[in-house]
Amino acid sequence: FRRSTNTSTKRHKKDIKNVENTELNPKRLYDLKVTQFKYKEEYQPNKKDFRYDKNLIGFIAEDVAEIYPIATDYNEQGEVENWNERYIIPAMLKLIQEQHAEIEQMKKEIEDLKGGNK
């Protein structure tokens, strides 16, 4: 049996509740810049990779460390190395769910207003 912090089953989780911690507040992601970049050749040496020397879209790990630190991975030297989609995607989905609920509420209010004008 291999233990991992990368499990999704509730069998391995405790203190499960709605997001309350301000560090985990998904709204912090609104301040995260989405950037365009190319990888340096030494990082992406395979010229056969169809993304080689292409403009890509993504996040800068140092920006993630500043805005949403729980989603940041570090190397053995303690330097910011990557952002972790396992922790960013649920926060993004939470924002989408909140926006969806708000849109549905606005649609209902618009329909109610239309119905009241008859």
Side-chain angles (χ1 to χ4, degrees):
F1 178 75
R2 181 176 164 252
R3 291 194 180 174
S4 169
T5 56
N6 291 333
T7 182
S8 289
T9 179
K10 69 180 183 179
R11 294 189 319 269
H12 302 298
K13 297 176 181 180
K14 64 181 184 177
D15 300 332
I16 299 169
K17 55 188 162 190
N18 289 331
V19 177
E20 298 171 352
N21 186 315
T22 56
E23 278 190 20
L24 298 177
N25 184 342
K27 289 183 173 75
R28 295 172 65 118
L29 293 178
Y30 287 133
D31 295 327
L32 184 58
K33 291 186 294 188
V34 178
T35 60
Q36 175 182 308
F37 60 90
K38 290 182 182 181
Y39 281 112
K40 294 179 179 179
E41 188 173 338
E42 61 268 17
Y43 179 78
Q44 192 182 33
N46 183 358
K47 293 183 180 185
K48 293 180 181 177
D49 184 326
F50 74 95
R51 291 173 290 258
Y52 181 82
D53 202 36
K54 299 281 190 218
N55 286 315
L56 303 171
I57 188 170
F59 305 125
I60 302 300
E62 290 82 356
D63 293 343
V64 176
E66 183 180 324
I67 301 295
Y68 209 71
I70 198 70
T72 306
D73 292 334
Y74 295 83
N75 63 23
E76 291 178 3
Q77 292 76 37
E79 300 167 320
V80 172
E81 190 64 37
N82 201 2
W83 59 272
N84 190 315
E85 64 275 1
R86 185 166 189 89
Y87 303 103
I88 264 192
I89 291 173
M92 290 175 172
L93 179 57
K94 179 69 174 160
L95 292 175
I96 292 168
Q97 290 170 336
E98 289 173 358
Q99 291 170 355
H100 175 71
E102 189 175 337
I103 289 167
E104 290 301 313
Q105 179 61 36
M106 285 191 241
K107 285 166 56 176
K108 183 182 180 311
E109 290 172 10
I110 290 169
E111 285 304 311
D112 289 348
L113 288 171
K114 286 180 179 178
N117 288 336
K118 289 183 179 178

